[in-house]
Amino acid sequence: MRITSRLRRPDAAPEAQGDELTAELSAFYWQAYDARMASVGFLATARQFPGLVGHAMRLSWQANRHDTAATIALNLASGVFTGYALFATTGVLEALFTAGPTPARVRAALPSLVLVAVAVAVRSGLQSAAGWAQARLKPQVERVVEVRLLDLTTQVDLSAFDEPGFHDAMQRARDRGVYAAQQVVSEVISCVTGVVGIIAAATVVAVLQPILLALLVVAQLPGGWAAVRSARIGYLTSFALADSRRRKWILSDLMAERRTAAELRSFTLRHFLLDRVARLAAYARDAELAAARRQALTRVTASAAGGVATAGVYIALGALLAVGALPLAVAGTAMLAIRSAQASLTNLLYAVNQCYEEGLYFSDYLAFCADAAARVPPRGTRPAPRGFDRITVDRVTFTYPGASEPALHEVSVEIRRGEVVALVGENGSGKTTLAKILAGLYRPVAGTVRWDETAIEDVDAEPLRERIAVIAQDHANWPLTVSHNITMGRAADPDMLAAAAAASGADTVIGSLPHGYDTLLDRQFKDGAELSGGQWQRIAAARGFYRSAPLLIMDEPTAALDARAEYALFASVRGHAADRSVLIITHRLASVRHADRIYVLGGGRVIERGVHAELMALGGQYAELYTLQASQYDP
Ligand SMILES: Nc1ncnc2c1ncn2[C@@H]1O[C@H](COP(=O)(O)OP(=O)(O)OP(=O)(O)O)[C@@H](O)[C@H]1O
Ligand SMILES: [Mg+2]
């Protein structure tokens, strides 16, 4: 615990340089550093160690059981031969140190010498084989670990992505945790080898002179302490820097990506961004330099103490010789055994330290996986309905994670089969939020969404989402082919593709592309094409039509479309809704005047509802906005 208090707040910590960015980062740094400090003490980690080893071995077994078994067995066998070689060396030395003519002593030593040579050769062979198996295991473990991570990140509840803490944890798991997992597997195996080696060497020393063994162990303690402490400093620094590192990566992506290259230039943002990156980099550099200095100090202190202790071992050996407690021949063997035991101890300490260090990162990975698994929506208790006669949103309230105000207050909306329902309202009024709740992407804090009698919170998320098509306001432009951009992972049916493209107006776009539906929509690759904003929006709309789901949600589907395309799309919507339902969100009020029902949202509440004529007669916000838009055409 003393280490803990001395590690706190190192003097050369990253300084807040008087500007907002670094001041904010600095506060976060210490918060993260201190919070984590408590849980990564050596004893706390040692207690978690068996669990970590268990996880590592399970992963390894899952990746490839044959390679795992081979690695452990071969390492164990090679450890046994190391010990055997040492014992055989004792035989050689004893023969050489006996009295008599030199040729006779050498001859006497020969059988033991042959044994040593054979043992060393066998051990080398076993070590090579073990190294090969261990090397094979690495990429296999890495694959299992990575797939598991992405399996979880794609399943967690969408709201997790609104939490900064989740992003930090995810970054640590992706950035370092995946690598650490295979490293821990490897180091656990090295520990096994180290332990076998040390048992062999220590047995030899103990048999020769038990006092030497005790001294030997004491001599290694400073090194062990230094290794553990400097690993912890390194880990805590990297833990606390996660947030600033993520900010830097986001910035460096923005500065090196095609998506932002044009705007960066037209707004001459270069210097502004470079300055921010430079400050973030300087901030991380200061933290890392401070850590490096403290690690170096730790190591110097430990080396000095270790040197004194090693000198003590040799002085003790000399004293034992001087008082005649140790014959010269045995002292020679003891010297060799001490060196071998010291080498084994150093190796073991290194492996244990690596295990500790990588184990800290690996535990981040495990903690993230456990947290993500807990965020996977629970399985539903009822089968997903195939369709509906009526969807009822009943007094739904929703607050985004960390937000102080709810984005929706007791909103009630109804959509019947065959209807086109419009959602309108000013920016930030909650339209997209409501659409996401209807799409089953967010769960309401209070209130329910029902498909007839079935509350959607009782239903598995994925089967329900299969029955809903969403054209999102911020739809992604996937760097895939046109066909994949429309089918979105479903089997491609040429007739359905053609129908969806015609309904959205994407057909004319696709007709002009060099490879039609097979054109790759990413200019960063050979033969890749780029579309205009409106062309992309048509492709995104085609996605919604292709899915042929009973509920189609369109959030601002025409914001980028030309007048003709917009008119055509709204005409398609009517046809599409013949036996399905469409929820449409738009600011172009003229396009929804024929909707079966219009809801006006304001400040997260439904403030008006009805058909166009009713809302106009009401003279509220709808009438005001409609008249405002109309006046631009007909002043
Ligand atoms: N992921 C989020 N986390 C926190 N708050 C959010 C999030 N998304 C939206 N909000 C907030 O919720 C409120 C409603 O946003 P929403 O996107 O639903 O508005 P909207 O009606 O779709 O607006 P627009 O017409 O601009 O698309 C806004 O105040 C917004 O700032
Ligand atoms: Mg919106």
Side-chain angles (χ1 to χ4, degrees), residues 35-46:
R36 193 65 180 152
M37 174 77 79
S39 58
V40 297
F42 189 69
L43 287 181
T45 310

Side-chain angles (χ1 to χ4, degrees), residues 460-498:
D460 274 350
E462 282 210 348
L464 183 78
R465 290 178 195 153
E466 290 286 342
R467 317 233 197 289
I468 305 171
V470 183
I471 302 169
Q473 183 173 21
D474 53 351
H475 61 81
N477 299 343
W478 296 90
L480 303 170
T481 60
V482 173
S483 167
H484 283 130
N485 254 292
I486 297 176
T487 58
M488 296 297 278
R490 290 194 170 178
D493 176 308
D495 294 336
M496 279 168 64
L497 263 178

